[in-house]
Amino acid sequence: MKPFVINRYGRIVFPFNFVPAFDFSVFDSLEQFSAVIRRDFEEKAPAEGDIVSRIVAGGYKTRYELLRDLALTLFWANRYGITLYEKRPTRWRDVPRFRDEVFLPVFKASDMSELSAAVDAGYRALGTTWDEGVEDKAFRILFDVFRHRKWGGAELPAIKPTVAEALANPRNLTWTLLAYDPDYPGYSWQDIVECHHEVPELEALLRQTMVLHNEYRWDRSKLRLTEVGKLDGDDWVVVFTPRSEDAADFIRRVRAGHRQRTPRPTPATTQRPATPYPPIEVRKRFTVMPRLEALAVQKGEQVCTNEDLIRNAAWCWSPMTAEEIHLKTGIAQRLYTDLDLDHLALLAARQALEKSGRRPEEIGAVIFCSCTSAKMMPSVATWLSGQLGMFQTHASCDVVAACAGLPYGLAEAVRLLQEVERPVLVVCGEKFSDKIGTVRTSRMIFGDGAAALVVAPAERGAAPDVEVFQTYASGPMSEVDSIVWPNPEFDNNITVYGPEVRKLVKRYLGQMLSELRALPHPDGGAGTLMDAIDLTVPHQANRTMVERIAADAGLAPESCYFNIETVANTSSASIPIALHDAIRSGVIDRRLRVFAPGFGAGAVGGYVVMNVDPAIAA
């Protein structure tokens, strides 16, 4: 988990966006680690020569562009030192010679004076972007690190030699310091978290600058390269030690050449079902009709705007403005919570029970739908049952159906009604904010939130509130794995593979609309069930994407309700939160027939056609 913090300015900060902290327990091999390094550090970072070529060509229009590239190339140059190791200046006489967790880095000499001069001149030739004083301060620090890296070299091995290995060749070159001050100024954790500037891009740059300065916390002008065979006992050298026990264990595994895990199985060729799965028409299939008694919502209490994302731009993010994020996703802000997911869900459940007027002993089952729950035992559903005072239910269980959580949850609730003939509590909740890490696409899209519905038996002879439901799952493995958490390839963070997500949404939405157009009008009128729909409240995945796919499938975007702009994508909770907001905003101002489609991770999909009365909203 990688939680956010709120600084003294009331701004949200993601510390892991500035201080790389990998979970090395997920890497089986150096090749896996190297792939992550290439993606996070190398693909976005220009080489030193690229920066100079762009300067010469007049490619930089602002100082900020140059400063950002300078920071990126320094993160890249320090890609192993900042992820695997800590740098520790030590007297040579005090350096252990035969310990396998102490490393003495070896470098090749290279003169970067011409590159440094070009960068210095290039910066001075550009005009101020936003704040001359702050930009000059950032440049002084970054340039000082850049120009005194001239012996660092580019092709550095991830696994450094031990002291004994470095000494095996007396002519190996390593860092020495002409003088070392253990109190050399640096930036504290609080300095980085509390950093503030009115320009979001500069705030992010300043934090990156502080982190890079701290990686070389000594007078860099006094750094030299010395042959290890000529080191004197009083010389200060810079030894590397693993940043964590996980990092140390990873280094040991790589050096020992341990056998890798058994490869993952190859998926079978995908086969379509022998016959299609028809949607479930509740009135025809069941005897106990479902009635929606209550709908309650608990949103995250912390606002994270698109500007906040820019303030927290990680070293591995491409440049993007707040407006570009809005245009790409339809999201202006997302809501996060400091609460645990089960606590957030409990608040929504309590409100729903209170609204319905139901006592704990009346509830026959509790279903909790989520794809971000970290609680496995007890299940969140059983935990909620206990917290709400339910001595016993017929069933309390968790359902992992991601963004189709509401259709799956309501489908199961309708089935359970036939057995228990008493109310079922359906709770949908997600907490993404601490599971995203530095994956920008996920950070842009996901938010936190929970919603709860009480589904009770309707009076005998009454029409069902839930009229039709349908669920799907699976598909090609590329779509099944289109959204993954935990994902070892992204440091166990939630990752979204956009093209595959678009494919599954297009596939499922087209299938859903075909089914609705094949069903008769529920009130016996002319036309089909599709013609009877008053409002579509889709899963709030990505407004731009959903509107385009809906239009292509023949569903008018103006007939759809969206609240994603203010709450973002809360996966299983997104449809019920959107329903609640539609009631509160007056869009659902009377009993309406609502089509609620959901689709997402695991290549799951599903929909509900239900009659929603605004009176159910808590």
Side-chain angles (χ1 to χ4, degrees):
M1 304 299 177
K2 296 182 174 70
F4 60 84
V5 298
I6 304 296
N7 67 15
R8 61 191 173 105
Y9 298 103
R11 295 195 182 279
I12 200 163
V13 180
F14 311 130
F16 42 85
N17 276 15
F18 309 101
V19 183
F22 289 168
D23 178 3
F24 284 94
S25 67
V26 305
F27 297 125
D28 291 329
S29 66
L30 183 59
E31 289 72 24
Q32 285 181 309
F33 173 60
S34 298
V36 172
I37 290 293
R38 281 194 300 273
R39 186 195 64 233
D40 284 1
F41 288 86
E42 188 168 334
E43 290 181 1
K44 305 290 173 60
E48 300 95 333
D50 296 333
I51 294 176
V52 172
S53 296
R54 188 174 172 185
I55 289 172
V56 173
Y60 290 107
K61 304 305 179 186
T62 66
R63 284 184 170 181
Y64 169 74
E65 292 175 337
L66 176 55
L67 288 169
R68 187 179 183 281
D69 273 4
L70 202 55
L72 289 179
T73 196
L74 290 174
F75 271 106
W76 171 74
N78 202 38
R79 58 199 179 277
Y80 302 126
I82 205 169
T83 55
L84 263 177
Y85 305 100
E86 288 185 352
K87 305 176 182 69
R88 296 189 177 179
T90 309
R91 291 275 189 190
W92 179 236
R93 65 164 57 90
D94 297 323
V95 174
R97 302 302 197 260
F98 301 106
R99 283 171 53 181
D100 62 3
E101 76 279 11
V102 180
F103 303 92
L104 193 65
V106 171
F107 302 100
K108 294 180 180 179
S110 59
D111 186 357
M112 288 182 57
S113 57
E114 289 188 14
L115 293 177
S116 298
V119 170
D120 188 26
Y123 176 80
R124 298 183 188 284
L126 293 168
T128 300
T129 310
W130 292 295
D131 186 326
E132 183 175 14
V134 169
E135 289 166 24
D136 283 348
K137 174 184 176 181
F139 180 73
R140 282 195 301 272
I141 296 172
L142 294 174
F143 184 65
D144 190 56
V145 174
F146 181 84
R147 67 190 177 119
H148 290 117
R149 255 199 66 251
K150 54 189 175 184
W151 299 291
E155 297 303 323
L156 304 175
I159 307 302
K160 308 300 180 188
T162 63
V163 177
E165 288 168 343
L167 286 171
N169 181 357
R171 302 196 65 180
N172 279 333
L173 298 173
T174 195
W175 280 341
T176 57
L177 300 172
L178 299 181
Y180 173 62
D181 176 7
D183 290 322
Y184 189 80
Y187 296 98
S188 69
W189 181 259
Q190 286 302 111
D191 290 332
I192 296 170
V193 169
E194 304 295 349
C195 175
H196 171 70
H197 196 280
E198 288 301 321
V199 178
E201 289 86 351
L202 280 186
E203 187 172 309
L205 178 69
L206 285 172
R207 289 200 180 98
Q208 293 172 1
T209 298
M210 293 177 189
V211 169
L212 289 166
H213 167 83
N214 283 356
E215 284 299 308
Y216 303 90
R217 200 165 169 176
W218 51 72
D219 184 345
R220 291 175 281 270
S221 67
K222 295 181 178 179
L223 185 68
R224 298 288 185 270
L225 279 182
T226 303
E227 292 182 5
V228 295
K230 297 180 180 178
L231 291 173
D232 183 82
D234 287 329
D235 288 336
W236 286 93
V237 298
V238 181
V239 297
F240 282 27
T241 57
R243 283 190 176 264
S244 65
E245 184 53 41
D246 275 349
D249 188 54
F250 170 71
I251 293 170
R252 284 192 288 268
R253 292 200 304 272
V254 171
R255 291 175 66 86
H258 285 179
R259 181 175 60 86
Q260 296 184 30
R261 296 178 189 174
T262 303
R264 293 172 64 84
T266 301
T269 303
T270 303
Q271 304 291 338
R272 293 183 179 274
T275 57
Y277 299 104
I280 306 300
E281 298 178 77
V282 173
R283 197 191 307 261
K284 294 180 179 179
R285 183 70 66 90
F286 302 109
T287 57
V288 180
M289 297 297 104
R291 174 173 176 262
L292 300 179
E293 282 193 343
L295 167 63
V297 160
Q298 187 68 38
K299 297 177 182 177
E301 70 281 358
Q302 301 290 350
V303 176
C304 177
T305 67
N306 289 348
E307 280 205 346
D308 288 325
L309 296 191
I310 306 304
R311 294 179 189 282
N312 285 277
W315 71 91
C316 52
W317 289 7
S318 300
M320 201 169 190
T321 66
E323 182 58 28
E324 286 171 340
I325 295 173
H326 188 243
L327 289 172
K328 189 176 183 67
T329 64
I331 300 169
Q333 66 175 42
R334 63 270 326 126
L335 301 178
Y336 293 152
T337 184
D338 282 310
L339 304 177
D340 292 335
L341 173 59
D342 49 11
H343 188 177
L344 191 74
L346 177 62
L347 295 177
R350 282 176 174 164
Q351 293 175 57
L353 288 182
E354 181 180 356
K355 173 64 178 176
S356 70
R358 297 290 184 174
R359 301 185 306 276
E361 60 268 28
E362 295 181 76
I363 302 301
V366 178
I367 302 168
F368 180 68
C369 305
S370 178
C371 60
T372 55
S373 175
K375 185 188 287 291
M376 299 303 293
M377 293 187 292
S379 68
V380 176
T382 54
W383 183 87
L384 289 172
S385 303
Q387 286 286 333
L388 293 167
M390 299 172 191
F391 181 79
Q392 190 175 69
T393 63
H394 177 62
S396 290
C397 59
D398 292 359
V399 174
V400 182
C403 306
L406 182 72
Y408 269 73
L410 286 180
E412 193 59 32
V414 172
R415 296 186 187 104
L416 283 167
L417 280 180
Q418 314 311 308
E419 299 176 12
V420 299
E421 297 187 21
R422 63 187 78 182
V424 176
L425 176 64
V426 178
V427 185
C428 301
E430 307 288 2
K431 181 171 181 175
F432 285 96
S433 56
D434 60 351
K435 304 172 184 72
I436 295 173
T438 56
V439 181
R440 189 188 64 181
T441 51
S442 305
R443 180 61 69 189
M444 285 165 29
I445 293 172
F446 292 116
D448 302 341
L453 297 99
V454 176
V455 185
E459 294 182 3
R460 188 173 298 275
D465 282 349
V466 178
E467 296 182 309
V468 177
F469 65 79
Q470 172 68 291
T471 57
Y472 321 107
S474 198
M477 272 306 301
S478 59
E479 293 180 20
V480 171
D481 277 344
S482 60
I483 306 174
V484 182
W485 177 72
N487 186 355
E489 294 181 7
F490 280 80
D491 196 32
N492 275 349
N493 299 319
I494 289 174
T495 44
V496 179
Y497 299 97
E500 297 304 323
V501 172
R502 285 189 287 274
K503 288 179 185 177
L504 77 88
V505 174
K506 183 176 181 179
R507 173 166 64 93
Y508 278 147
L509 193 56
Q511 185 175 350
M512 293 173 186
L513 296 179
S514 295
E515 291 177 0
L516 295 186
R517 290 171 181 141
L519 289 173
H521 195 293
D523 301 328
T528 67
L529 176 56
M530 189 70 223
D531 299 316
I533 301 298
D534 298 309
L535 180 69
T536 298
V537 181
H539 162 50
Q540 309 289 300
N542 174 320
R543 179 166 185 167
T544 305
M545 176 189 73
V546 172
E547 284 187 332
R548 288 174 181 169
I549 293 175
D552 291 343
L555 181 63
E558 57 269 19
S559 69
C560 300
Y561 175 79
F562 291 94
N563 69 338
I564 190 172
E565 184 172 25
T566 56
V567 298
N569 177 345
T570 55
S571 192
S572 69
S574 77
I575 293 175
I577 290 177
L579 285 170
H580 192 275
D581 283 1
I583 292 171
R584 286 287 169 237
S585 63
V587 173
I588 299 178
D589 58 354
R590 64 194 186 283
R591 186 176 174 85
L592 295 181
R593 181 173 282 116
V594 174
F595 165 48
F599 24 72
V604 296
Y607 61 85
V608 179
V609 176
M610 54 187 167
N611 291 292
V612 178
D613 190 317
I616 68 172

